[in-house]
Amino acid sequence: MPETMGARNRVISVVETVFRKYGYEPLETPALESMDVLNMKVGEDTGKQIYRVEDGKLGMRFDLTVPLARLVAGNPSIPKPFKRYCIGKVWRREEPQKGRFREFLQADVDVVGSPRMECEAELIACACECLKELGFSDFTVRINNRKIMDAIVKKLGVKAQPEAVFRALDKLGKIGEGGVEQELEGIGVGKKEKDELIGFVSEKGSDEQITTKMEKYSAEGAGELKEILRLCGIYGVGNVSVDMSLMRGLDYYTGPVFEISAGEGVGSIAGGGRYDNLISSYGGGEVPAVGISLGIERIMALLEGKGGKGASLDVYVAAVKPEFYGKSVEAAKKLRGEGLSIQVDVMGRNLRKQLEYANSKGVRFAAIIGQKEAEAGKVTLRNLANGDEKLVSIQEAAKIVRG
Amino acid sequence: MPETMGARNRVISVVETVFRKYGYEPLETPALESMDVLNMKVGEDTGKQIYRVEDGKLGMRFDLTVPLARLVAGNPSIPKPFKRYCIGKVWRREEPQKGRFREFLQADVDVVGSPRMECEAELIACACECLKELGFSDFTVRINNRKIMDAIVKKLGVKAQPEAVFRALDKLGKIGEGGVEQELEGIGVGKKEKDELIGFVSEKGSDEQITTKMEKYSAEGAGELKEILRLCGIYGVGNVSVDMSLMRGLDYYTGPVFEISAGEGVGSIAGGGRYDNLISSYGGGEVPAVGISLGIERIMALLEGKGGKGASLDVYVAAVKPEFYGKSVEAAKKLRGEGLSIQVDVMGRNLRKQLEYANSKGVRFAAIIGQKEAEAGKVTLRNLANGDEKLVSIQEAAKIVRG
């Protein structure tokens, strides 16, 4: 409904303004891609969520990262770093058995072409600034690194695909330890390895303790996490900590992954990670890349109640009788020229009904035009909140409305 | 690419501002609808263009009108008139044999709940104002009325579905008289009726001559066209004329239809019409409605060359050596606080490479930070267009960049 849309437009506008301030440029990608493109490196669970179009030849994008990777692969001459933002819809089939469909709005920023942790820090800082500007104060950033998890899986001699292991571990919060154990068994992970894996992801301690412990599995992975922590300090982003249980569900991540939550138990409102191999999988050569995605619906749900009404209608220009319709259109035109949002009657309603409608829509002022006003070349401006009236010129009316 | 996106964002922003000034409120509808909803009253040709999802249970919207009608039917308590705008993507399979897909951005305004021609006039005026604001000066508005065409088909005793006849006649510009004749034959229209139909749509003359002639077929239809002409006069919209060959391809139109073209032979950039029976076909009771749709890609193609580059990046903050990275992040933060669009290095590049990159991206200024600047708490601001340099504070830099 219009009120919700107004709130949504404000969220989008805030996010877009911050993205631009950080030097990201808009780039949109198609909503439809070939299934070959969409199915690459996303993993089984996500693959199942893709809406298939045209007998399965095409699919609807389930994120904004895959279409970006495909596009960059096809346009190797884009200057690097390529810093883009995209605010657009994605589709995921959440409950296929009921035939229901889900549509989400995501806001993504990505840095393409740099392997350095400066990107991760900037993306996290940029996302945090969006959240601050939107009115969030109590949020936390958790980071982990696929390189460490990869090394652990290898060291334990787990025979299952590492990505399948990550997907299983990713569900710890949703299905609990028992569920994860079952899933790990299902993909052939033995009891001992299973316990060790769950032990790893349950690792607690200070960032320093955890990264030091993880250095023996992947010095590179642990070093990257330390570097992100240091750089986030430069950006003045607090509340960043290492969380070994953070997996992120998608197969395409290759390095650091991160997630931002707003308060305890609310779930994540932003998340992302590094996907250094995704672009090359579309034939684009080795191009490192990393991105973060904000979930607009999730953000709006949390903001609910905080925001006000949608952008209000400023003035309803009401004709006392049909013969003043021309004058009301003229007055509306002038008021629009002052940048105001104006309605005039399109129902042939009498004055009382016009004002009732204006009230029902929450319009702030009515500019009434009858014989007296037409002769004086003025309007009677009525404040619909308190009933105050005044005979004024259009320019005076615009001034009053603008406050 | 980002430059195109910048131009597109500007078009959207102009259009949205005008829509709001006319008192339209944002309302978005889902991109996916059930095929039962999409197939209602759209006609065979358009039906074939719908992308089917989930084994044909769902489809992707091919316009923004049908989802609006479905939504209004399901929410009968919305105060009338309901004036909404929607800027969103639609999908039409234009060349199914090649498996290619097409994605379009449309900007629609609709008035729901009023049968009066004031709506038509306001929508036409609003669309024309959008085009003027975008820089178009040479455009023409053509109007016709399905009621007249319906009456003619009936009077001629044509046995084919009137909508099928309209769809055939709609192709006059595309496939010529011969093609239309063939298509009319195909749906069982006899030779005499065929000639008469083509004679009708080729009718030339002043608006007054044509409407007077059409009065004997549908006094109501001709009266509505006259009323639109009169009301467009009140709105100061010139270049409106009656064109009996204007059909519009969709089956759901029931009354006036209209189209706006920018110059000779360029095709339409906006079009719409009245669809008084569409909402009731979704079980929503009798709710009259009318809308107009602007084709953003078509508009952009015509504007090409007129517009400038995308919203430019204001400042690239360059560190002379890696040890000044922290200072560059700090400076970037302050400049962003001044509302500017700022990039800092994320590649670990040397100064020369940073400035080369900034130049390649068309960034206007570089703020360079080395030992001297760090000690003074200032930056060297270089105008990348002419090479001018100056050691200034962040505040001074922001002032210079803002011009």
Side-chain angles (χ1 to χ4, degrees):
Chain A
M1 291 291 101
E3 284 70 27
T4 318
M5 285 299 303
R8 188 153 120 158
N9 283 350
R10 274 197 305 284
V11 170
I12 292 173
S13 154
V14 166
V15 166
E16 196 168 14
T17 303
V18 175
F19 287 174
R20 283 183 176 279
K21 282 206 269 179
Y22 276 77
Y24 292 82
E25 297 174 273
L27 176 78
E28 225 181 275
T29 45
L32 289 178
E33 291 277 357
S34 95
M35 277 304 290
D36 299 338
V37 168
L38 293 178
N39 255 335
M40 188 89 74
K41 299 201 178 223
V42 297
E44 206 185 321
D45 296 6
T46 307
K48 283 185 197 153
Q49 294 184 325
I50 301 174
Y51 278 105
R52 280 141 207 267
V53 181
E54 296 282 281
D55 306 323
K57 284 193 293 291
L58 301 174
M60 298 175 76
R61 67 181 178 200
F62 63 91
D63 76 355
L64 303 173
T65 307
V66 163
L68 170 67
R70 197 260 314 146
L71 184 138
V72 170
N75 295 273
S77 65
I78 298 175
K80 310 290 183 320
F82 176 52
K83 297 176 61 181
R84 78 91 188 237
Y85 74 81
C86 178
I87 301 173
K89 283 186 180 173
V90 303
W91 291 267
R92 292 188 191 181
R93 202 165 54 174
E94 295 274 298
E95 299 167 15
Q97 71 283 7
K98 291 190 194 157
R100 293 180 61 190
F101 54 89
R102 299 296 303 277
E103 202 170 297
F104 306 91
L105 193 64
Q106 285 195 344
D108 279 31
V109 262
D110 295 84
V111 185
V112 174
S114 171
R116 297 175 67 95
M117 296 301 113
E118 278 84 351
C119 305
E120 272 82 348
E122 181 178 288
L123 290 170
I124 291 169
C126 177
C128 287
E129 186 161 333
C130 288
L131 296 175
K132 259 185 223 152
E133 289 286 320
L134 288 167
F136 289 98
S137 51
D138 182 28
F139 52 84
T140 53
V141 182
R142 295 173 304 129
I143 60 175
N144 194 6
N145 199 325
R146 280 281 173 97
K147 285 176 186 163
I148 298 174
M149 298 312 301
D150 255 328
I152 288 171
V153 168
K154 227 171 254 170
K155 192 140 189 174
L156 290 177
V158 171
K159 297 215 174 47
Q161 255 211 321
E163 287 82 8
V165 174
F166 303 154
R167 283 200 300 274
L169 292 172
D170 186 47
K171 296 177 188 159
L172 199 59
K174 273 189 210 159
I175 61 178
E177 224 169 89
V180 171
E181 284 195 18
Q182 225 173 338
E183 195 144 321
L184 287 173
E185 256 171 54
I187 56 172
V189 179
K191 171 141 184 40
K192 188 169 152 277
E193 291 79 28
K194 223 172 53 187
D195 291 346
E196 288 201 69
L197 279 171
I198 292 178
F200 270 111
V201 301
S202 310
E203 196 71 54
K204 293 277 171 286
S206 72
D207 294 337
E208 174 138 12
Q209 286 169 334
I210 297 179
T211 49
T212 305
K213 220 165 174 175
M214 295 308 148
E215 259 164 9
K216 61 172 175 280
Y217 297 96
S218 168
E220 192 186 345
E224 287 177 351
L225 292 183
K226 279 192 206 165
E227 180 70 351
I228 294 174
L229 290 168
R230 183 183 76 82
L231 292 165
C232 280
I234 289 179
Y235 270 101
V237 178
N239 290 322
V240 186
S241 60
V242 176
D243 179 348
M244 295 300 293
S245 76
L246 177 69
M247 291 292 138
R248 306 284 303 159
L250 293 157
D251 279 10
Y252 55 59
Y253 292 121
T254 55
V257 289
F258 28 88
E259 225 170 77
I260 308 180
S261 315
E264 278 296 310
V266 191
S268 83
I269 48 178
R274 182 166 280 281
Y275 48 97
D276 285 350
N277 296 337
L278 188 58
I279 294 167
S280 66
S281 71
Y282 297 118
E286 294 294 326
V287 185
V290 53
I292 193 164
S293 178
L294 282 81
I296 302 295
E297 277 83 5
R298 196 75 75 90
I299 287 172
M300 284 189 58
L302 294 174
L303 286 176
E304 201 113 289
K306 279 196 188 183
K309 278 193 55 176
S312 64
L313 298 164
D314 296 312
V315 182
Y316 187 98
V317 181
V320 171
K321 283 180 187 168
E323 66 225 60
F324 301 114
Y325 171 75
K327 289 276 174 204
S328 72
V329 168
E330 216 175 278
K333 190 174 182 174
K334 285 182 187 155
L335 288 166
R336 285 175 186 137
E338 303 274 342
L340 299 171
S341 164
I342 309 297
Q343 284 213 18
V344 293
D345 179 49
V346 289
M347 304 282 276
R349 282 173 170 161
N350 65 31
L351 182 62
R352 186 178 58 79
K353 290 224 161 157
Q354 289 182 59
L355 295 178
E356 273 174 18
Y357 170 76
N359 266 315
S360 79
K361 294 297 290 180
V363 182
R364 297 157 58 217
F365 291 89
I368 302 165
I369 304 181
Q371 191 65 42
K372 179 181 67 176
E373 291 84 1
E375 278 168 10
K378 296 189 170 188
V379 298
T380 293
L381 190 73
R382 183 186 293 179
N383 182 326
L384 291 172
N386 59 21
D388 285 354
E389 279 192 0
K390 208 174 175 183
L391 186 71
V392 292
S393 71
I394 297 285
Q395 287 69 30
E396 288 170 308
K399 218 168 154 184
I400 294 168
V401 172
R402 275 198 300 260
Chain B
M1 290 294 99
E3 284 70 28
T4 319
M5 286 300 303
R8 187 152 121 162
N9 282 350
R10 276 197 305 282
V11 171
I12 291 173
S13 154
V14 166
V15 166
E16 195 167 14
T17 303
V18 175
F19 286 174
R20 283 183 175 278
K21 282 205 270 178
Y22 275 77
Y24 292 82
E25 297 173 274
L27 176 77
E28 224 180 277
T29 45
L32 290 178
E33 292 276 356
S34 95
M35 277 304 291
D36 299 340
V37 168
L38 293 178
N39 256 333
M40 188 90 74
K41 297 197 181 227
V42 298
E44 207 185 318
D45 297 4
T46 307
K48 282 185 197 152
Q49 294 184 326
I50 301 174
Y51 278 105
R52 281 140 207 269
V53 181
E54 297 282 279
D55 306 324
K57 285 194 293 290
L58 302 173
M60 299 174 78
R61 66 182 178 199
F62 63 91
D63 75 357
L64 302 172
T65 307
V66 162
L68 169 67
R70 198 259 314 146
L71 184 139
V72 171
N75 294 273
S77 66
I78 298 176
K80 308 292 183 314
F82 176 52
K83 296 176 63 182
R84 78 93 188 235
Y85 74 81
C86 178
I87 301 172
K89 283 185 179 173
V90 303
W91 292 265
R92 292 187 193 181
R93 200 165 56 173
E94 297 274 299
E95 299 167 14
Q97 70 284 7
K98 292 191 195 157
R100 294 180 60 189
F101 54 91
R102 299 297 304 274
E103 201 170 297
F104 307 90
L105 193 64
Q106 286 194 343
D108 280 31
V109 263
D110 294 85
V111 185
V112 173
S114 171
R116 297 175 67 95
M117 296 302 113
E118 279 84 349
C119 306
E120 272 82 347
E122 181 177 289
L123 290 170
I124 291 169
C126 177
C128 287
E129 186 160 333
C130 288
L131 296 176
K132 259 184 224 155
E133 290 286 322
L134 288 167
F136 289 97
S137 52
D138 181 28
F139 52 84
T140 53
V141 182
R142 295 173 304 131
I143 60 175
N144 193 6
N145 198 324
R146 280 283 173 95
K147 285 175 186 163
I148 298 173
M149 299 311 302
D150 254 329
I152 289 171
V153 168
K154 229 171 249 167
K155 194 142 186 176
L156 290 177
V158 172
K159 298 218 171 50
Q161 255 209 325
E163 287 83 8
V165 174
F166 302 155
R167 283 200 300 273
L169 291 172
D170 186 45
K171 295 175 190 161
L172 199 58
K174 272 187 212 160
I175 60 178
E177 224 170 88
V180 171
E181 284 194 19
Q182 225 175 337
E183 195 145 321
L184 286 173
E185 256 171 53
I187 56 172
V189 178
K191 168 134 188 43
K192 189 168 151 281
E193 291 80 28
K194 224 173 51 188
D195 290 346
E196 288 201 70
L197 279 170
I198 291 179
F200 269 112
V201 301
S202 310
E203 195 73 54
K204 293 277 172 285
S206 72
D207 294 337
E208 175 137 14
Q209 286 168 332
I210 297 179
T211 50
T212 305
K213 219 162 173 179
M214 295 307 147
E215 258 165 9
K216 62 173 176 283
Y217 297 96
S218 168
E220 192 185 345
E224 287 177 352
L225 292 184
K226 280 192 205 166
E227 179 72 350
I228 293 174
L229 290 168
R230 183 182 76 82
L231 293 165
C232 281
I234 289 179
Y235 270 101
V237 178
N239 291 323
V240 187
S241 60
V242 176
D243 178 349
M244 295 301 291
S245 75
L246 177 70
M247 291 292 139
R248 306 283 304 155
L250 292 157
D251 279 11
Y252 55 59
Y253 292 121
T254 56
V257 288
F258 28 88
E259 225 169 78
I260 309 180
S261 314
E264 280 294 311
V266 192
S268 83
I269 47 179
R274 182 166 280 282
Y275 48 96
D276 285 350
N277 296 337
L278 188 59
I279 295 167
S280 67
S281 71
Y282 297 118
E286 294 295 326
V287 185
V290 54
I292 194 165
S293 178
L294 282 80
I296 303 295
E297 277 84 6
R298 197 75 76 93
I299 288 172
M300 283 188 57
L302 293 174
L303 286 177
E304 201 112 290
K306 277 194 189 187
K309 280 195 53 178
S312 63
L313 298 163
D314 297 312
V315 183
Y316 187 99
V317 180
V320 171
K321 285 183 187 166
E323 66 225 62
F324 300 114
Y325 172 75
K327 289 278 174 201
S328 72
V329 167
E330 215 175 276
K333 189 174 182 175
K334 285 182 188 156
L335 288 167
R336 285 175 185 137
E338 304 274 341
L340 298 172
S341 163
I342 309 297
Q343 284 212 20
V344 293
D345 179 50
V346 290
M347 303 282 276
R349 283 175 171 159
N350 65 29
L351 182 61
R352 187 177 58 80
K353 290 225 162 159
Q354 288 182 59
L355 295 178
E356 273 174 18
Y357 170 76
N359 265 315
S360 79
K361 297 296 291 180
V363 182
R364 297 159 56 217
F365 291 90
I368 302 165
I369 304 181
Q371 191 64 43
K372 178 181 69 177
E373 291 85 359
E375 278 168 10
K378 296 191 171 187
V379 298
T380 294
L381 190 73
R382 181 185 296 178
N383 183 325
L384 290 173
N386 59 22
D388 285 355
E389 279 194 0
K390 209 174 173 183
L391 186 70
V392 292
S393 72
I394 297 283
Q395 287 69 31
E396 288 169 307
K399 219 170 155 183
I400 293 168
V401 173
R402 275 197 300 261

